[in-house]
Amino acid sequence: MANSPLSIAMISDFFHPNVGGVENHIYMLSVNLLRRGHKVIVITHSYPPDRVGVRWLLPGLKVYYIPFTTLVSSATLPDFLTFLPYFRNIILRERITLIHAHASLSALGHEGILHAHLLGVRTVFTDHSLFGFADAASILTNKLLEATMRTVGATICVSHTGRENTVLRANLAPEDVYVIPNSLIADQFLPAATPLTSDTVTIVVVSRLAYRKGVDLLVAAAPRICAACPNVRFVVGGDGPKLIDLLQMREKYFLQDRIELLGPVLHRDVPKVLTRGAIFLNTSLTEAFGTAILEAACAGLYIVSTRVGGVPEILPEDMISFALPTEDDIFRAIVEAIDIVQHGKHDPHRAHERIRGFYDWKQVAVRTEKVYRAVMDSPPQNLWTRIERTMGLGPFVGPIFTIILAVDCLFFMCLEYWYPREDIDYVDKQWGKHRFEEVLET
Amino acid sequence: MNVALVKTLTATSSSTTTDASTRLVVMSEDHWERVLWKQQSFPDNYVPPSFLSSLTKNPNFRPYTYWPLMLGACAITQHLSTIFIFLSVFVRLLDCTFDPRLLVFISAAMFVAGYALWELLECTQGGWLASSDRRAKAVKASILVFLALMALAPVLRTLTAATSSDSIWALSACLLILNAALADYSSAARGVGARERLTSVLSINAAISAAVVLASRLQDDLSVFALVLFAVQLFALFPLLRYRLQDAPSSIQLGSTLTLAAFSVVIAAPLSATVASLFATALGSTTFLAPAVLLWAQQYKNEIRGPWDAATPRVHS
């Protein structure tokens, strides 16, 4: 029983064809779990114009695109009940035993965790982001998260900082929260084959150009760096509301020939941009993990980053220089980094080999599987425990979520009556491990 | 953040630390590091002794003291007093127990006195010169407002003739509450450029609308004109003066607050003893009780900070 394959459903609002950290994480984790012989499907909402229904992604990952419209930034409306008919049907016909919800702003994920117990399915949740405690949006989403986390089997965070944050936000027992980092495909981020010329140092920035990515710091520090080091050039990739600030800065200081703005960069083009430089600058004001930093380090760049969130955990101290989120300190750190790079103290190929040893999606899948096994072996909560735990949320929120729970149960009973389980079209032809190998390895 | 949650959080974090220290003995003596790049011999849900050690609470805690808070509350008391005075004047005009011509003269006198005070403040703050042009503009604007209101008075009087008085009372109450809630209570020294804020504009609009709908209940054109003119004095011009006076010595602030509050209660008293006592209670609790409640509530302040918070970038502008 301990090694029997699991049937896992990944549920999130965020998935391919969108691109991003969460989307990539779900895909890579699913593929590596498939490789380990498990059955994995993904459930997400539809993407206009025509991505709706069942699709297959290479190599044999089945994706259910539920016909839900999105509310804002590709998240669906959190209405707690409308997902249940789809959910019940999919979970039953695919004979799913465990669901894995992703991202704390994904309404589908929360709903999946709420409905799972009706079908005797166990739950795991991965939190990918950091939230504060003070603003109104954070207070509301934190309460929603706390309500869902009352009944979840286990929680996974992508960094130790993220874990502390999630434990505080959702009021969880720290023992039930696991830390499993993101990873990357090292082969996609190879260092430049020919060494870069040593007389000019190129600083690369690839980021969404938004306030939270600290673009203000870049705008303030870049002219000073250009003035102090005449052999420095900047390459900035990305798009966003702060692009205009960068353009203005470039014009104000006549740096058109020193600062190159690439605009939006496709993810598959990022390696090409990275290998043009020797230093990668990240000025984020908050970052749960920092996949972009990891990708740049893998491509052999020396990293300069603000010391925020989970960034200090992802690389050893000799591959990264930290700065405070101030203009002066960014300037100091860049000048130091230029010195390190110019004196050849940073070997790109050695850095690449080290990263290859640090991070591997196969390891992530193994560690996640351990969490799945722990959840499957733990005794499930019965309905009364659920109600008691939900009531414990607070004098105001507790009853609200208990009512939602009760209505959910009633709705489920109606569905059992309207659509009996016998009428469901079960999926009995599985994509086994042998079939997977046939497709992937030949 | 609510109190219960914060208490549980505190309990969780302290119990975590003790749990972790006992667990550490059970685990191997290998050294745990807070890094993700190293494969460690600890399980993924291992709770290190340093768990939540970077959590700080109330990092910028600044305990309030009673007197500065009370002085700050004086601006609110003054504003409430002006609303109460306005209401009393309106009731007297409605009952025809107050000559509207007298109100026009009072408004004019208030304007002249207020303007003189404004000039005096301007003079003491060194802006006396190069302002004759501005003064001419002010005179022109005040004459324009005066004439415009006079011309509009007949229209305003019949504006809501088709609406029942009950609706007008409810509407004006809502508008005046909105006015008090959105008014700008900051001072010139602390709130730079605060006068241009949207809420402050909304606040003045709400008050003038309340004056207009109330004025439409009055009998004759002159009363309508007098009331709206008085409202402009109280709700548009007085806040400007109050904004400047906030920086005056505390004796002046306390004196003006006390005068206004006493006056509002005294002119309400002959109309209704109940209303006057309600006014007095409202003003008293705003001035004395509300700061004390804030002081008391500060013990529940629990702001959680940690490495997950978004950093604030510091640049030389």
Side-chain angles (χ1 to χ4, degrees):
Chain A
M1 193 61 200
N3 287 318
S4 61
L6 298 167
S7 293
I8 304 151
M10 302 279 173
I11 303 182
S12 179
D13 273 334
F14 311 108
F15 195 63
H16 181 81
N18 268 21
V19 282
V22 181
E23 290 84 348
N24 190 43
H25 179 104
I26 296 172
Y27 176 76
M28 288 309 296
L29 180 62
S30 303
V31 168
N32 281 283
L33 285 168
L34 282 175
R35 194 201 294 273
R36 292 186 59 76
H38 299 291
K39 171 183 174 166
V40 185
I41 61 162
V42 178
I43 305 175
T44 184
H45 62 73
S46 59
Y47 284 84
D50 61 346
R51 196 169 283 257
V52 58
V54 182
R55 299 286 182 106
W56 290 86
L57 294 189
L58 207 72
L61 178 62
K62 193 177 192 178
V63 187
Y64 282 85
Y65 288 98
I66 311 284
F68 281 172
T69 48
T70 55
L71 190 63
V72 60
S73 58
S74 121
T76 50
L77 182 73
D79 54 12
F80 296 106
L81 296 172
T82 47
F83 181 39
L84 182 57
Y86 295 102
F87 181 78
R88 173 175 171 271
N89 212 298
I90 295 168
I91 298 297
L92 285 176
R93 74 190 293 265
E94 295 283 348
R95 303 186 199 281
I96 296 297
T97 49
L98 185 138
I99 65 157
H100 188 168
H102 289 265
S104 51
L105 287 182
S106 157
L108 275 190
H110 287 287
E111 250 188 81
I113 293 171
L114 177 75
H115 303 320
H117 72 102
L118 299 168
L119 294 151
V121 173
R122 310 308 304 276
T123 51
V124 174
F125 173 76
T126 296
D127 199 352
H128 291 263
S129 40
L130 301 175
F131 279 86
F133 296 94
D135 55 310
S138 295
I139 291 169
L140 283 173
T141 48
N142 289 351
K143 209 65 195 174
L144 197 64
L145 181 72
E146 189 188 346
T148 312
M149 293 300 107
R150 283 293 159 123
T151 53
V152 80
T155 309
I156 301 173
C157 294
V158 292
S159 62
H160 295 289
T161 305
R163 182 193 192 189
E164 293 180 339
N165 186 239
T166 305
V167 164
L168 285 176
R169 278 162 57 211
N171 212 351
L172 288 162
E175 296 79 20
D176 294 339
V177 186
Y178 297 74
V179 177
I180 300 176
N182 272 325
S183 190
L184 82 169
I185 306 171
D187 290 327
Q188 287 180 355
F189 297 94
L190 296 169
T194 51
L196 299 156
T197 50
S198 58
D199 47 331
T200 59
V201 177
T202 308
I203 299 175
V204 180
V205 178
V206 179
S207 145
R208 201 164 44 80
L209 300 176
Y211 170 78
R212 285 169 76 85
K213 296 291 176 186
V215 179
D216 296 322
L217 290 169
L218 176 66
V219 169
R224 284 182 63 185
I225 295 159
C226 286
C229 316
N231 58 340
V232 165
R233 292 170 53 84
F234 277 88
V235 174
V236 182
D239 198 3
K242 290 273 182 183
L243 178 65
I244 191 95
D245 294 29
L246 274 172
L247 284 165
Q248 280 175 351
M249 176 271 288
R250 196 169 71 158
E251 241 164 66
K252 186 174 166 193
Y253 295 96
F254 305 107
L255 293 169
Q256 283 87 346
D257 55 338
R258 306 275 301 275
I259 300 178
E260 190 181 342
L261 298 175
L262 300 175
V265 179
L266 290 176
H267 191 253
R268 65 163 178 269
D269 295 333
V270 168
K272 270 186 270 172
V273 176
L274 288 175
T275 46
R276 291 177 61 184
I279 296 172
F280 181 82
L281 172 63
N282 169 62
T283 51
S284 284
L285 304 178
T286 177
E287 195 80 67
F289 183 76
T291 311
I293 297 172
L294 212 56
E295 289 171 353
C298 189
L301 279 78
Y302 187 79
I303 310 289
V304 176
S305 172
T306 43
R307 190 185 282 276
V308 292
V311 176
E313 303 166 22
I314 62 173
L315 285 173
E317 295 274 342
D318 57 331
M319 297 175 80
I320 184 165
S321 285
F322 287 111
L324 300 172
T326 64
E327 180 190 334
D328 295 335
D329 212 49
I330 298 265
F331 176 71
R332 173 200 60 78
I334 290 270
V335 171
E336 277 178 24
I338 291 169
D339 188 63
I340 289 173
V341 169
Q342 279 196 319
H343 289 84
K345 292 181 198 161
H346 179 75
D347 179 5
H349 291 276
R350 187 164 164 271
H352 176 78
E353 287 309 317
R354 287 178 74 190
I355 300 281
R356 193 179 276 276
F358 293 159
Y359 292 100
D360 185 5
W361 278 112
K362 286 182 187 155
Q363 281 302 313
V364 172
V366 171
R367 288 162 77 173
T368 311
E369 193 186 323
K370 275 189 196 153
V371 179
Y372 293 161
R373 298 282 179 205
V375 170
M376 294 305 284
D377 292 344
S378 65
Q381 290 177 11
N382 61 27
L383 184 62
W384 185 244
T385 321
R386 267 166 200 279
I387 291 175
E388 275 184 335
R389 284 181 61 82
T390 311
M391 280 302 282
L393 279 171
F396 186 71
V397 187
I400 293 177
F401 278 97
T402 311
I403 290 168
I404 292 173
L405 188 63
V407 173
D408 195 40
C409 292
L410 289 175
F411 187 30
F412 182 72
M413 282 156 69
C414 295
L415 287 174
E416 290 280 285
Y417 177 72
W418 288 330
Y419 307 106
R421 296 194 182 200
E422 303 89 75
D423 297 354
I424 289 174
D425 182 17
Y426 286 91
V427 178
D428 286 322
K429 281 210 174 116
Q430 306 290 349
W431 275 73
K433 191 170 160 58
H434 60 285
R435 186 89 183 85
F436 172 75
E437 279 167 356
E438 236 173 74
V439 173
L440 187 72
E441 257 92 38
T442 56
Chain B
M1 177 165 285
N2 75 50
V3 181
L5 175 63
V6 168
K7 277 188 180 155
T8 16
L9 287 176
T10 328
T12 323
S13 62
S14 58
S15 68
T16 309
T17 336
T18 47
D19 282 355
S21 49
T22 49
R23 284 167 64 98
L24 187 66
V25 184
V26 183
M27 302 298 299
S28 71
E29 55 281 334
D30 193 10
H31 184 57
W32 183 86
E33 279 181 82
R34 194 190 161 94
V35 289
L36 299 168
W37 50 272
K38 202 186 262 184
Q39 297 284 333
Q40 306 197 59
S41 60
F42 296 90
D44 287 329
N45 65 338
Y46 169 66
V47 183
S50 63
F51 190 70
L52 286 178
S53 59
S54 46
L55 175 81
T56 52
K57 282 201 225 152
N58 298 338
N60 306 317
F61 185 70
R62 197 167 43 85
Y64 292 132
T65 45
Y66 187 73
W67 285 109
L69 278 184
M70 210 200 84
L71 273 183
C74 277
I76 306 174
T77 314
Q78 287 177 19
H79 193 83
L80 290 181
S81 304
T82 55
I83 293 178
F84 295 159
I85 292 169
F86 173 76
L87 290 175
S88 301
V89 167
F90 166 72
V91 172
R92 276 156 202 273
L93 282 176
L94 194 65
D95 297 348
C96 299
T97 53
F98 189 48
D99 189 352
R101 276 168 298 181
L102 184 60
L103 186 57
V104 174
F105 288 129
I106 291 175
S107 298
M110 267 169 59
F111 175 71
V112 172
Y115 195 73
L117 189 58
W118 177 272
E119 286 291 332
L120 198 69
L121 284 171
E122 197 86 329
C123 173
T124 52
Q125 285 162 12
W128 178 254
L129 297 165
S131 59
S132 59
D133 183 41
R134 190 178 52 79
R135 235 169 278 141
K137 268 188 188 161
V139 171
K140 198 177 84 178
S142 53
I143 292 171
L144 265 180
V145 169
F146 194 85
L147 293 177
L149 282 181
M150 201 178 262
L152 280 176
V155 182
L156 294 182
R157 185 173 60 82
T158 54
L159 185 67
T160 62
T163 314
S164 83
S165 289
D166 286 347
S167 311
I168 295 296
W169 306 148
L171 179 63
S172 56
C174 291
L175 287 169
L176 285 175
I177 289 170
L178 192 70
N179 163 258
L182 297 182
D184 180 13
Y185 298 114
S186 61
S187 72
R190 272 167 286 163
V192 182
R195 257 187 292 161
E196 282 82 41
R197 272 205 305 243
L198 177 68
T199 50
S200 155
V201 174
L202 281 177
S203 164
I204 292 178
N205 276 327
I208 300 297
S209 312
V212 166
V213 292
L214 283 180
S216 65
R217 296 291 103 175
L218 294 175
Q219 318 293 330
D220 56 310
D221 294 349
L222 188 59
S223 304
V224 172
F225 168 67
L227 189 75
V228 178
L229 187 66
F230 189 56
V232 170
Q233 303 285 325
L234 284 186
F235 298 124
L237 299 179
F238 175 69
L240 296 180
L241 190 63
R242 191 188 66 211
Y243 183 71
R244 299 291 290 266
L245 277 177
Q246 287 271 127
D247 303 322
S250 50
S251 56
I252 296 181
Q253 279 190 55
L254 280 176
S256 55
T257 308
L258 197 66
T259 318
L260 270 173
F263 184 64
S264 69
V265 174
V266 165
I267 64 161
L271 296 172
S272 158
T274 323
V275 170
S277 55
L278 273 178
F279 282 4
T281 319
L283 294 174
S285 53
T286 314
T287 322
F288 302 108
L289 197 61
V293 170
L294 181 58
L295 208 61
W296 167 79
Q298 216 190 3
Q299 63 180 300
Y300 296 112
K301 185 180 168 68
N302 199 339
E303 191 188 353
I304 302 172
R305 292 269 155 191
W308 48 81
D309 283 313
T312 322
R314 281 214 313 272
V315 295
H316 310 297
S317 54

